Amino acid sequence: VAERRIVAQVAVALPLDRSLDFEVPGKLADAIAVGCRVSVAVQGRSVFGIVIALASQTTHPGPLEPVLSVDDGPRFSPEALRFALHVAQEDLSPTGLFVNRLLPRRTRTAPGPSKVITPAVAVVDAFGALETLARRAPRQAELLRLILGLPEPCTEPQLRRRLGRSIRDPLRRLIEKGLVRETAANPETATPPPRAGGEPKEAEAVLLFAQTRWDRYVEAVRGALLAGRTALVLAPEILAAEELHARIDAAVPGGATLYHSGLPEAERGWVWEATRAGAVRVIVGTRSALFLPIPGEVCAIVDEEQDRSYKQDEMLPHYNARNVALERYPDILMGSAAPSIETFHVARNGGIRLEQPDEQREEPPVRIIDLAAEPGPLSETLVAAIERTLAADRRALLGVNRRGRFRATICKRCGNPLSCPRCGLNLTYDVRSAQLVCPTCGYAERQLVCPHCGSRALRFVGSGGDRLTGEIEARFPGVRVARIDASRLRTVSGAREVAALVRTAPVLVATSILAKGPPLPGLGLVAAIDTDTLLARPDFRAAERTYQFLRGLIGRLGPDGQAIIQTHHPDHAAIRAAADADYKRFYAMEIAEREALSYPPFSHLARLSARREDIERVLGVLKSMPIDVLGPTAQQGTSRMLLKAPSKEALREAVRAAQAAVRRLEIDFDPERL
DNA sequence: CGTAGATTAATT
DNA sequence: ATTAATCTACGT
């Protein structure tokens, strides 16, 4: 009797839009499962992939390559895999690279989900030991006290996070002394914490429209735990996630687990497997945490619901974590002090319950400076305000909107600006491609060298933040000016350094990255330096972004703070509404305009870019579809256009048709960047 | 009719 | 992603 054949459908880590079939050899039949990472041979090379299904036959005509090995590291649960595939398919994106990127790689050094730390002695018996340790080994004493106080077994990374430093050595000594036990608890056999019981909680979508939200989140997390659910808390960026995690971790029994792309891979892998085993009850993280394999019911919380960072638009697939979370989890609490027009519109029409607590918060005074009367970027009023703030031993936060590229490149040695050999205009530095580019004709230069003197010391000028930092340092000698930008936030160490600076530096210069979150300690002044660059963006959400940026900035003020808004349009409705903290008025105007011009939420958009030579073909295909095409606008070899349709389905049909007609096409549904 | 270099199609 | 096959510009 021949053994039943097993065929694995594998999403390989290649940019393919479908899975490939592989033969499962008999000796791997027991180990393989849907969601596993496997190694397979594609064109003679070994490639990783995720098993998306197991079948007994294949439609592939030729012979199948065998599965080479099955990884026993982190894996998807079937549900989590289905969800990730769904998100990629919604975007018409290939799935293989995505699911392989989501799943942390197995790491050899893993302390593993398998090692759990528990006290080896009863609390009463440990007092003596604690006393002796306190004198000669304070770190061991501190660690032992922490372990004794925990309600549940806990792991080394968790303890390390609690104490904020490595605990490798003290932990080893405690184990040697027999005070603490490290047991190898297999997550498969570990008893998951009780999930049933408590009051059953009705699932509903809620929009929390409030300045102060963290206490409400803590309450929601506690409620979720009581109802036997896992709480998943999302923040828009690593820095915000770290701060929110610290708050929630301290406030809920059992603490919270942090998950974001800045964590070391080993730790992500550990969290992933602990989550899948049901051992993690509260997760705080960024959008990648959305794909953790959480078993059972989930209560989702999305802070700063309106934040653009929830939209992934650099990498494929494009998705908005807020929208996807809303779609996946019926029990969801979204929070914002200045909600997106789209979400508020849904709340207005009863699709989401609006929760707007009475907040006894005195609005800080806001001064609008007309830059026509007082030139910037440092108006005299602002300089005086900074002076007073520093004199009162308080701090200032200056919000800038450095958008796009630098304006010019200057050689530090000879002082000559670098110009385009084709059209003579200034070359700018493009951060993404790490090249000098000409914004007019598209000329690109890979060598970062001055053509006059050959110096490699170039200075990229014109970025709002850098220029401003220089001017403040010149104006206030000796004052420490901290420049905070997104590039430093991609790693944990970077984010923690930044977090420390944000709490202490006398003057902060930052983009929208700091224009969110609760009040900062000691902050007496916030100022929007160049509000107009935000307002002038060619984006139907420009006014909304301006309002949200200004309110986010003002929201960071402590009591008795003041705000300054510099602008050439002192009477602009969005600016006035932000200064008056009148969201309702702003919303009423904005929603009327969206409806009149048929922009979201009254339509659906997609941004499409194609090569210049393909554009006619694309337009030809789109002509017959029931959609509006705005554009195209040409820029640097590619042409972009905006597609507008009354329904998402019409839009997807049109994009599918265009995709079939032209090979290289870039698509972004529901674009946040226009 | 040859090359180097760009473009494209295919992957089990 | 990587590779092999196919096209393109420019040389003889």
Side-chain angles (χ1 to χ4, degrees), chain A residues 113-134:
Chain A
S114 42
K115 288 200 176 165
V116 175
I117 293 152
T118 47
V121 291
V123 179
V124 279
D125 300 327
F127 283 129
L130 265 177
E131 227 164 276
T132 10
L133 284 173

Side-chain angles (χ1 to χ4, degrees), chain A residues 541-555:
Chain A
R541 277 189 271 251
E544 178 184 344
R545 294 295 178 222
T546 306
Y547 182 92
Q548 287 160 345
F549 174 72
L550 294 174
R551 287 314 307 171
L553 215 47
I554 294 166

Side-chain angles (χ1 to χ4, degrees), chain A residues 438-514:
Chain A
C438 173
T440 356
C441 72
Y443 170 84
E445 172 61 60
R446 192 162 276 285
Q447 296 287 314
L448 304 181
V449 175
C450 171
H452 300 279
C453 67
S455 165
R456 305 192 135 266
L458 303 180
R459 187 194 183 110
F460 310 114
V461 296
S463 121
D466 292 329
R467 222 172 62 206
L468 185 71
T469 308
E471 288 196 28
I472 296 168
E473 279 167 346
R475 227 35 214 256
F476 300 93
V479 173
R480 198 153 52 95
V481 181
R483 170 105 172 76
I484 312 294
D485 61 73
S487 64
R488 298 172 66 178
L489 294 178
R490 251 166 270 156
T491 60
V492 186
S493 60
R496 295 199 176 138
E497 270 170 42
V498 167
L501 271 179
V502 166
R503 280 193 301 273
T504 56
V507 178
L508 293 159
V509 174
T511 53
S512 59
I513 199 119
L514 289 190

Side-chain angles (χ1 to χ4, degrees), chain A residues 158-400:
Chain A
Q158 281 178 327
L159 291 170
R160 191 189 332 132
R161 256 202 310 282
R162 285 281 177 115
L163 293 176
R165 59 161 179 266
S166 168
I167 56 157
R168 199 164 290 270
D169 294 336
L171 180 62
R172 209 181 50 224
R173 301 307 300 272
L174 286 175
I175 293 168
E176 283 166 9
K177 288 173 185 163
L179 293 166
V180 163
R181 229 194 323 255
E182 195 174 31
T183 42
N186 187 338
E188 302 294 336
T189 58
T191 48
R195 297 205 154 256
E199 314 108 56
K201 195 165 157 290
E202 203 179 310
E204 64 169 344
V206 177
L207 171 61
L208 172 65
F209 179 10
Q211 194 68 238
T212 309
R213 304 182 295 279
W214 288 11
D215 288 342
R216 177 69 180 81
Y217 295 156
V218 168
E219 183 193 308
V221 169
R222 290 211 179 105
L225 293 178
L226 283 175
R229 292 182 180 177
T230 302
L232 172 64
V233 185
L234 298 186
E237 278 143 7
I238 291 178
L239 181 61
E242 295 253 346
E243 286 171 347
L244 191 49
H245 170 260
R247 171 76 175 85
I248 292 178
D249 187 45
V252 300
T257 304
L258 184 64
Y259 192 85
H260 58 67
S261 56
L263 294 176
E265 184 126 26
E267 192 161 335
R268 292 216 304 277
W270 176 82
V271 174
W272 183 283
E273 281 304 276
T275 300
R276 197 170 64 87
V280 172
R281 311 298 308 279
V282 183
I283 301 157
V284 184
T286 52
R287 60 175 185 253
S288 58
L290 192 53
F291 295 95
L292 283 168
I294 307 173
E297 292 192 332
V298 171
C299 165
I301 295 173
V302 181
D303 190 31
E304 305 282 5
E305 154 289 311
Q306 82 295 344
D307 202 291
R308 239 183 53 148
S309 301
Y310 281 121
K311 178 70 192 289
Q312 165 148 63
D313 47 19
E314 312 258 82
M315 257 185 293
L316 289 179
H318 304 308
Y319 67 93
N320 185 316
R322 177 249 283 157
N323 294 347
V324 175
L326 185 62
E327 195 185 315
R328 187 182 190 195
Y329 299 121
D331 183 14
I332 187 168
L333 172 63
M334 298 183 285
S336 178
S340 66
I341 296 292
E342 280 105 317
T343 301
F344 197 74
H345 180 251
V346 177
R348 264 298 181 84
N349 293 310
I352 303 175
R353 182 164 71 77
L354 180 63
E355 190 176 304
Q356 194 172 4
D358 241 342
E359 293 180 289
Q360 292 98 342
R361 181 177 188 270
E362 204 169 305
E363 280 301 325
V366 180
R367 273 189 76 171
I368 299 177
I369 305 297
D370 185 354
L371 288 174
E374 273 190 70
L378 280 176
S379 66
E380 282 314 309
T381 308
L382 178 55
V383 171
I386 297 174
E387 240 158 40
R388 276 198 308 277
T389 304
L390 295 176
D393 208 20
R394 301 185 76 184
R395 310 191 298 133
L397 166 60
L398 311 182
V400 292

Side-chain angles (χ1 to χ4, degrees), chain A residues 43-70:
Chain A
Q43 303 198 318
R45 298 174 160 272
S46 158
V47 180
F48 285 123
I50 310 289
V51 179
I52 61 169
L54 293 171
S56 57
Q57 55 194 354
T58 176
T59 52
H60 182 65
L64 298 185
E65 291 285 325
V67 172
L68 302 175
S69 66
V70 177

